Amino acid sequence: MSRYLILLPAPEAEWAELPPEVHEKGQRSHEQFHRDLSAGGHVLVVGGPLEASDRATSMRPGTDGEALVTDGPFSETAEQVVGFYLVETDDEADLRAACERFAGRGEHIELRRLAE
């Protein structure tokens, strides 16, 4: 089986301002995505939301072989990765179709196969 990482980018500040009914709609969309994965025989290895990017710790090469450690995301962008799914499957076409249906319900996702 191949493994795929499904990244969930979103603008954190905008999401926080949305009304509860929009959050509930998003939750239902994720629940349907879980059902679609199961129906397609895909294995959801792990997935979940991430804490806000302002709670991240970024590490870069520093001087003298030491790491430069800073609080916050690696880069300032309009969208942050707010969650993820790691999926195992032998049927990339069906997984892609499930992801397209998920995106069609208003979700922004990035599907990437793990390098072997």
Side-chain angles (χ1 to χ4, degrees):
M1 274 203 225
S2 296
R3 284 186 163 195
Y4 296 82
L5 185 62
I6 301 166
L7 300 171
L8 306 171
E12 289 175 335
E14 286 179 32
W15 180 253
E17 299 296 320
L18 294 174
E21 57 269 12
V22 175
H23 288 262
E24 291 166 8
K25 179 183 176 195
Q27 181 63 37
R28 288 191 305 273
S29 178
H30 281 268
E31 291 167 358
Q32 181 60 53
F33 185 56
H34 294 186
R35 289 189 295 272
D36 288 349
L37 290 174
S38 180
H42 312 293
V43 177
L44 176 56
V45 177
V46 66
L50 300 173
E51 287 189 342
S53 63
D54 64 357
R55 298 200 48 159
T57 301
S58 296
M59 299 169 210
R60 297 175 175 85
T63 58
D64 301 327
E66 303 235 353
L68 175 61
V69 180
T70 57
D71 291 332
F74 184 75
S75 61
E76 296 294 326
T77 61
E79 292 184 334
Q80 297 77 33
V81 176
V82 298
F84 71 98
Y85 292 105
L86 179 60
V87 176
E88 288 182 339
T89 188
D90 285 327
D91 191 347
E92 181 178 355
D94 187 74
L95 176 60
R96 184 178 183 93
C99 288
E100 288 176 8
R101 290 189 301 273
F102 189 38
R105 291 190 297 272
E107 306 299 333
H108 183 180
I109 67 172
E110 180 178 334
L111 174 64
R112 298 182 66 177
R113 184 177 178 166
L114 272 66
E116 295 180 16

